[in-house]
PDB file of all heavy atoms in Angstrom:
ATOM      1  N   ASN A 122    -141.561  -8.435-208.037  1.00 73.00           N
ATOM      2  CA  ASN A 122    -140.383  -9.134-208.512  1.00 73.00           C
ATOM      3  C   ASN A 122    -140.108  -8.826-209.972  1.00 73.00           C
ATOM      4  O   ASN A 122    -138.979  -8.587-210.379  1.00 73.00           O
ATOM      5  CB  ASN A 122    -140.594 -10.638-208.341  1.00 73.00           C
ATOM      6  CG  ASN A 122    -139.415 -11.277-207.652  1.00 73.00           C
ATOM      7  OD1 ASN A 122    -138.309 -10.711-207.654  1.00 73.00           O
ATOM      8  ND2 ASN A 122    -139.629 -12.412-207.070  1.00 73.00           N
ATOM      9  N   LYS A 125    -138.870  -5.399-210.196  1.00 74.00           N
ATOM     10  CA  LYS A 125    -137.470  -5.348-209.788  1.00 74.00           C
ATOM     11  C   LYS A 125    -136.587  -5.836-210.929  1.00 74.00           C
ATOM     12  O   LYS A 125    -135.571  -5.231-211.260  1.00 74.00           O
ATOM     13  CB  LYS A 125    -137.262  -6.220-208.541  1.00 74.00           C
ATOM     14  CG  LYS A 125    -135.873  -6.116-207.963  1.00 74.00           C
ATOM     15  CD  LYS A 125    -135.734  -6.908-206.672  1.00 74.00           C
ATOM     16  CE  LYS A 125    -135.279  -8.318-206.957  1.00 74.00           C
ATOM     17  NZ  LYS A 125    -134.941  -9.069-205.741  1.00 74.00           N
ATOM     18  N   SER A 126    -137.024  -6.972-211.511  1.00 72.00           N
ATOM     19  CA  SER A 126    -136.260  -7.571-212.592  1.00 72.00           C
ATOM     20  C   SER A 126    -136.164  -6.609-213.777  1.00 72.00           C
ATOM     21  O   SER A 126    -135.095  -6.414-214.344  1.00 72.00           O
ATOM     22  CB  SER A 126    -136.960  -8.863-213.013  1.00 72.00           C
ATOM     23  OG  SER A 126    -136.040  -9.772-213.495  1.00 72.00           O
ATOM     24  N   LEU A 129    -133.936  -3.694-212.906  1.00 75.00           N
ATOM     25  CA  LEU A 129    -132.510  -4.023-212.947  1.00 75.00           C
ATOM     26  C   LEU A 129    -131.996  -4.196-214.364  1.00 75.00           C
ATOM     27  O   LEU A 129    -130.893  -3.763-214.681  1.00 75.00           O
ATOM     28  CB  LEU A 129    -132.239  -5.278-212.123  1.00 75.00           C
ATOM     29  CG  LEU A 129    -132.247  -5.003-210.620  1.00 75.00           C
ATOM     30  CD1 LEU A 129    -132.374  -6.295-209.838  1.00 75.00           C
ATOM     31  CD2 LEU A 129    -130.993  -4.250-210.205  1.00 75.00           C
ATOM     32  N   GLU A 181    -122.900  -8.797-211.626  1.00 80.00           N
ATOM     33  CA  GLU A 181    -123.193  -9.563-210.409  1.00 80.00           C
ATOM     34  C   GLU A 181    -124.558  -9.203-209.843  1.00 80.00           C
ATOM     35  O   GLU A 181    -125.331 -10.078-209.449  1.00 80.00           O
ATOM     36  CB  GLU A 181    -122.118  -9.312-209.355  1.00 80.00           C
ATOM     37  CG  GLU A 181    -120.884 -10.169-209.579  1.00 80.00           C
ATOM     38  CD  GLU A 181    -119.821  -9.945-208.527  1.00 80.00           C
ATOM     39  OE1 GLU A 181    -120.050  -9.145-207.599  1.00 80.00           O
ATOM     40  OE2 GLU A 181    -118.764 -10.581-208.630  1.00 80.00           O
ATOM     41  N   VAL A 182    -124.844  -7.905-209.807  1.00 79.00           N
ATOM     42  CA  VAL A 182    -126.142  -7.467-209.276  1.00 79.00           C
ATOM     43  C   VAL A 182    -127.262  -8.037-210.149  1.00 79.00           C
ATOM     44  O   VAL A 182    -128.267  -8.537-209.663  1.00 79.00           O
ATOM     45  CB  VAL A 182    -126.222  -5.924-209.223  1.00 79.00           C
ATOM     46  CG1 VAL A 182    -127.637  -5.470-208.890  1.00 79.00           C
ATOM     47  CG2 VAL A 182    -125.257  -5.384-208.188  1.00 79.00           C
ATOM     48  N   LEU A 183    -127.040  -7.995-211.432  1.00 78.00           N
ATOM     49  CA  LEU A 183    -128.024  -8.505-212.374  1.00 78.00           C
ATOM     50  C   LEU A 183    -128.211 -10.012-212.204  1.00 78.00           C
ATOM     51  O   LEU A 183    -129.331 -10.515-212.163  1.00 78.00           O
ATOM     52  CB  LEU A 183    -127.558  -8.187-213.795  1.00 78.00           C
ATOM     53  CG  LEU A 183    -128.615  -8.203-214.863  1.00 78.00           C
ATOM     54  CD1 LEU A 183    -129.666  -7.147-214.581  1.00 78.00           C
ATOM     55  CD2 LEU A 183    -127.990  -7.969-216.227  1.00 78.00           C
ATOM     56  N   ASP A 184    -127.104 -10.727-212.063  1.00 79.00           N
ATOM     57  CA  ASP A 184    -127.155 -12.180-211.849  1.00 79.00           C
ATOM     58  C   ASP A 184    -127.982 -12.518-210.628  1.00 79.00           C
ATOM     59  O   ASP A 184    -128.862 -13.374-210.666  1.00 79.00           O
ATOM     60  CB  ASP A 184    -125.737 -12.723-211.628  1.00 79.00           C
ATOM     61  CG  ASP A 184    -125.110 -13.202-212.916  1.00 79.00           C
ATOM     62  OD1 ASP A 184    -125.847 -13.338-213.904  1.00 79.00           O
ATOM     63  OD2 ASP A 184    -123.882 -13.434-212.929  1.00 79.00           O
ATOM     64  N   LEU A 185    -127.670 -11.829-209.538  1.00 78.00           N
ATOM     65  CA  LEU A 185    -128.358 -12.106-208.280  1.00 78.00           C
ATOM     66  C   LEU A 185    -129.855 -11.838-208.433  1.00 78.00           C
ATOM     67  O   LEU A 185    -130.687 -12.624-207.988  1.00 78.00           O
ATOM     68  CB  LEU A 185    -127.774 -11.250-207.157  1.00 78.00           C
ATOM     69  CG  LEU A 185    -128.213 -11.662-205.757  1.00 78.00           C
ATOM     70  CD1 LEU A 185    -127.709 -13.054-205.413  1.00 78.00           C
ATOM     71  CD2 LEU A 185    -127.737 -10.654-204.722  1.00 78.00           C
ATOM     72  N   ALA A 186    -130.177 -10.739-209.098  1.00 76.00           N
ATOM     73  CA  ALA A 186    -131.594 -10.385-209.290  1.00 76.00           C
ATOM     74  C   ALA A 186    -132.298 -11.448-210.118  1.00 76.00           C
ATOM     75  O   ALA A 186    -133.410 -11.858-209.800  1.00 76.00           O
ATOM     76  CB  ALA A 186    -131.703  -9.029-209.983  1.00 76.00           C
ATOM     77  N   VAL A 187    -131.618 -11.912-211.143  1.00 77.00           N
ATOM     78  CA  VAL A 187    -132.231 -12.919-212.013  1.00 77.00           C
ATOM     79  C   VAL A 187    -132.407 -14.241-211.272  1.00 77.00           C
ATOM     80  O   VAL A 187    -133.449 -14.898-211.360  1.00 77.00           O
ATOM     81  CB  VAL A 187    -131.384 -13.111-213.294  1.00 77.00           C
ATOM     82  CG1 VAL A 187    -131.894 -14.282-214.096  1.00 77.00           C
ATOM     83  CG2 VAL A 187    -131.411 -11.857-214.144  1.00 77.00           C
ATOM     84  N   ILE A 188    -131.387 -14.617-210.478  1.00 79.00           N
ATOM     85  CA  ILE A 188    -131.490 -15.865-209.715  1.00 79.00           C
ATOM     86  C   ILE A 188    -132.630 -15.754-208.713  1.00 79.00           C
ATOM     87  O   ILE A 188    -133.466 -16.645-208.592  1.00 79.00           O
ATOM     88  CB  ILE A 188    -130.171 -16.173-208.974  1.00 79.00           C
ATOM     89  CG1 ILE A 188    -129.077 -16.541-209.980  1.00 79.00           C
ATOM     90  CG2 ILE A 188    -130.371 -17.325-207.992  1.00 79.00           C
ATOM     91  CD1 ILE A 188    -127.688 -16.624-209.379  1.00 79.00           C
ATOM     92  N   GLU A 189    -132.682 -14.611-208.003  1.00 73.00           N
ATOM     93  CA  GLU A 189    -133.709 -14.460-206.975  1.00 73.00           C
ATOM     94  C   GLU A 189    -135.110 -14.411-207.550  1.00 73.00           C
ATOM     95  O   GLU A 189    -136.062 -14.833-206.907  1.00 73.00           O
ATOM     96  CB  GLU A 189    -133.429 -13.211-206.138  1.00 73.00           C
ATOM     97  CG  GLU A 189    -132.311 -13.478-205.159  1.00 73.00           C
ATOM     98  CD  GLU A 189    -132.084 -12.349-204.201  1.00 73.00           C
ATOM     99  OE1 GLU A 189    -132.577 -11.238-204.470  1.00 73.00           O
ATOM    100  OE2 GLU A 189    -131.410 -12.577-203.195  1.00 73.00           O
ATOM    101  N   SER A 190    -135.254 -13.918-208.744  1.00 70.00           N
ATOM    102  CA  SER A 190    -136.591 -13.878-209.328  1.00 70.00           C
ATOM    103  C   SER A 190    -136.946 -15.239-209.927  1.00 70.00           C
ATOM    104  O   SER A 190    -138.031 -15.413-210.461  1.00 70.00           O
ATOM    105  CB  SER A 190    -136.674 -12.796-210.401  1.00 70.00           C
ATOM    106  OG  SER A 190    -135.873 -13.156-211.502  1.00 70.00           O
ATOM    107  N   GLY A 191    -136.027 -16.194-209.813  1.00 72.00           N
ATOM    108  CA  GLY A 191    -136.296 -17.547-210.315  1.00 72.00           C
ATOM    109  C   GLY A 191    -136.307 -17.626-211.824  1.00 72.00           C
ATOM    110  O   GLY A 191    -136.839 -18.540-212.409  1.00 72.00           O
ATOM    111  N   LYS A 192    -135.714 -16.622-212.468  1.00 71.00           N
ATOM    112  CA  LYS A 192    -135.782 -16.569-213.926  1.00 71.00           C
ATOM    113  C   LYS A 192    -134.540 -17.100-214.625  1.00 71.00           C
ATOM    114  O   LYS A 192    -134.457 -17.071-215.842  1.00 71.00           O
ATOM    115  CB  LYS A 192    -135.994 -15.111-214.374  1.00 71.00           C
ATOM    116  CG  LYS A 192    -137.443 -14.698-214.333  1.00 71.00           C
ATOM    117  CD  LYS A 192    -137.581 -13.386-215.030  1.00 71.00           C
ATOM    118  CE  LYS A 192    -138.997 -12.877-214.981  1.00 71.00           C
ATOM    119  NZ  LYS A 192    -139.034 -11.474-215.377  1.00 71.00           N
TER     120      LYS A 192
END
Side-chain angles (χ1 to χ4, degrees):
N122 230 339
K125 186 176 91 172
S126 210
L129 284 164
E181 278 181 2
V182 171
L183 200 62
D184 267 347
L185 192 64
V187 172
I188 291 170
E189 283 186 344
S190 68
K192 277 191 182 166

